[in-house]
Amino acid sequence: MEENPLAGAKDGVFAEKISPYLRQKMAERGSSAELSFLDLQYVADPSENVSRAHEVARHYESELHPTFEGEELRGVEKLYRRTLLVEPTTICAAHCRWCIRGQYDTKTLSNDDLARIARYCGLDPENSDVREVLITGGDPLILVDRLEFLLDAIEQHAPQVEVVRIGTRVPLQDPKRVNERMVRALRRRSTFRVEIATHINHPGELFPEVREAYAKLQEAGARIYDQTVLLRDVNDDIDTLVRLYDELRYLDIEAHYLFHCVPIRGMDHHRTSIARGLDLFRQLTVSGMTSGRAKPHYALMTDVGKVALYEGSLVDRDGSRVLVQTGYSYNDRLRWAPDWQLPASARVDDNGLLQVWYLDSDGGKAEV
């Protein structure tokens, strides 16, 4: 496992990192506020030093530490039956201020680490149901050679895997990286197809070169889906969301999740209330202003995993916290992730399903 001082948090402080491409876009704006959605996502803000009760430094803990082939595996998470998550690196082209992994230790896995993870995925009986591998970080497309090595290893050692998903913001942060070398690395393998997960949060991010980068990934055979993060003053108005989902529809990018911004320490100035998010979601999905083929799920990232909100999902409130009903079976979770531990914020209901407390926001009025 390699360390890189240029990424991640140091002494609990998430460093500001803005790619040359993004800095150029910010400079082109001049004194105009037209591109403020970039500043709000990438420029460090003093509000990050303000925190509230119940905020945490990291999102849910799901990392596995199994011993395989005589060594402990790192960079592997599992919360769901069919999906194994791999984090090859924590390096990114730029640091999103709302990043759920901003406080992760800086690391990059070696090729030996990645090969062992691929063998673990394919050979360990605990992973017999795994059909998808989610490669995230950090940003896997920062290290294309290492990513290609991992994809080749999954093809060789885990033939039951049918889909590999890759989480990235490289097309938005440094679109020139999407070149022939990357396209070749992302080719469809004999046993699985490649899907690209991305966060497009504002229609203004879709500059011509960004659109071209996504088109190249699609030409390589990758399917692209979007997980928009709902951010205060960036996209928390219906007009912006309608324009965004219209653009995604016509770029052939699937609308997957509209995420409520997670309650990570120092992020409250980015967060709307859940009620505001639900109101925007209703307007977006039942107003007739967008195509029925361009509607996301509204979801929370809780301490026990992602929960899409439906009627009856919010079952109680205690001050600023809401109790969220999930469909996750506690016994099933232990069966596919035996090392998983019930977090202090969660409990098991009478039907054996997980309920979890989640910190709401008042729209950014944090308390010191």
Side-chain angles (χ1 to χ4, degrees):
M1 185 179 300
E2 305 166 7
E3 304 296 327
N4 188 313
L6 299 179
K10 183 178 182 181
D11 299 326
V13 177
F14 190 38
E16 181 184 276
K17 183 179 181 183
I18 303 174
S19 66
Y21 170 78
L22 290 172
R23 288 197 182 277
Q24 176 187 346
K25 291 301 180 184
M26 292 175 181
E28 290 174 356
R29 171 196 59 194
S31 59
S32 168
E34 183 180 353
L35 299 185
S36 61
F37 59 83
L38 292 179
D39 289 350
L40 291 167
Q41 292 191 71
Y42 294 108
V43 177
D45 188 296
S47 297
E48 295 173 20
N49 300 321
V50 179
S51 61
R52 301 170 60 200
H54 303 297
E55 285 181 332
V56 294
R58 293 175 57 150
H59 73 308
Y60 59 69
E61 299 289 345
S62 58
E63 187 168 7
L64 303 178
H65 299 286
T67 298
F68 183 73
E69 297 179 345
E71 294 188 42
E72 186 179 40
L73 292 180
R74 295 286 183 178
V76 178
E77 295 183 8
K78 189 176 182 182
L79 278 182
Y80 312 113
R81 175 188 173 195
R82 294 187 178 276
T83 305
L84 190 73
L85 185 149
V86 182
E87 299 165 343
T89 183
T90 57
I91 301 171
C92 289
H95 285 169
C96 307
R97 305 316 301 167
W98 41 266
C99 179
I100 63 173
R101 291 186 169 87
Q103 301 302 321
Y104 275 40
D105 294 335
T106 300
K107 65 183 179 183
T108 294
L109 301 182
S110 68
N111 282 351
D112 287 344
D113 294 326
L114 298 175
R116 193 160 49 251
I117 289 172
R119 292 194 294 272
Y120 165 73
C121 181
L123 299 177
D124 194 293
E126 290 182 1
N127 297 318
S128 60
D129 286 335
V130 170
R131 294 293 181 270
E132 299 188 17
V133 173
L134 172 58
I135 305 175
T136 183
D139 198 312
L141 295 191
I142 288 292
L143 301 176
V144 175
D145 290 347
R146 204 153 299 190
L147 174 62
E148 183 174 32
F149 179 90
L150 175 57
L151 295 176
D152 289 343
I154 293 171
E155 181 180 27
Q156 179 180 358
H157 299 294
Q160 88 280 11
V161 172
E162 298 175 346
V163 177
V164 173
R165 296 186 278 150
I166 301 169
T168 183
R169 288 202 97 203
V170 158
L172 298 164
Q173 297 173 347
D174 195 1
K176 287 185 179 179
R177 286 180 179 268
V178 183
N179 53 24
E180 291 184 7
R181 174 72 188 90
M182 183 179 292
V183 167
R184 185 169 69 253
L186 296 177
R187 66 190 181 277
R188 179 166 183 149
R189 300 310 200 276
S190 61
T191 53
F192 61 80
R193 72 167 185 262
V194 173
E195 296 181 350
I196 299 292
T198 194
H199 292 298
I200 304 171
N201 297 326
H202 191 281
E205 293 181 284
L206 294 168
F207 298 105
E209 52 270 47
V210 171
R211 294 170 183 265
E212 182 180 351
Y214 281 119
K216 287 180 180 178
L217 295 176
Q218 290 169 328
E219 290 168 4
R223 300 184 185 180
I224 303 176
Y225 64 95
D226 176 72
Q227 303 181 112
T228 292
V229 181
L230 184 62
L231 297 168
R232 192 162 65 93
D233 297 331
V234 172
N235 57 15
D236 62 332
D237 66 273
I238 190 60
D239 289 341
T240 298
L241 290 175
V242 167
R243 286 192 292 121
L244 173 61
Y245 283 101
D246 274 350
E247 292 289 346
L248 296 179
R249 167 68 170 148
Y250 297 115
L251 289 173
D252 199 22
I253 295 176
E254 175 189 347
H256 186 206
Y257 285 129
L258 175 63
F259 270 128
H260 188 250
C261 187
V262 294
I264 300 296
R265 187 172 300 147
M267 273 198 209
D268 199 53
H269 61 296
H270 288 303
R271 306 179 73 222
T272 71
S273 66
I274 296 173
R276 174 61 176 159
L278 283 170
D279 181 55
L280 289 168
F281 177 64
R282 281 191 290 267
Q283 292 182 62
L284 184 66
T285 57
V286 301
S287 65
M289 289 190 289
T290 58
S291 168
R293 295 277 288 125
K295 296 177 180 178
H297 298 285
Y298 183 52
L300 310 178
M301 179 80 80
T302 75
D303 290 344
V304 300
K306 303 180 184 70
V307 180
L309 294 186
Y310 300 95
E311 185 177 359
S313 294
L314 306 181
V315 296
D316 198 3
R317 178 176 284 273
D318 178 15
S320 60
R321 297 192 304 165
V322 294
L323 185 63
V324 182
Q325 178 67 57
T326 85
Y328 297 129
S329 162
Y330 177 63
N331 289 332
D332 283 348
R333 176 64 59 84
L334 292 181
R335 185 162 62 250
W336 62 63
D339 295 334
W340 185 77
Q341 296 182 356
L342 187 72
S345 59
R347 67 191 191 193
V348 183
D349 70 12
D350 293 340
N351 297 314
L353 302 178
L354 297 178
Q355 295 180 332
V356 60
W357 288 102
Y358 179 86
L359 182 63
D360 200 356
S361 175
D362 58 8
K365 297 178 181 178
E367 299 176 0
V368 179

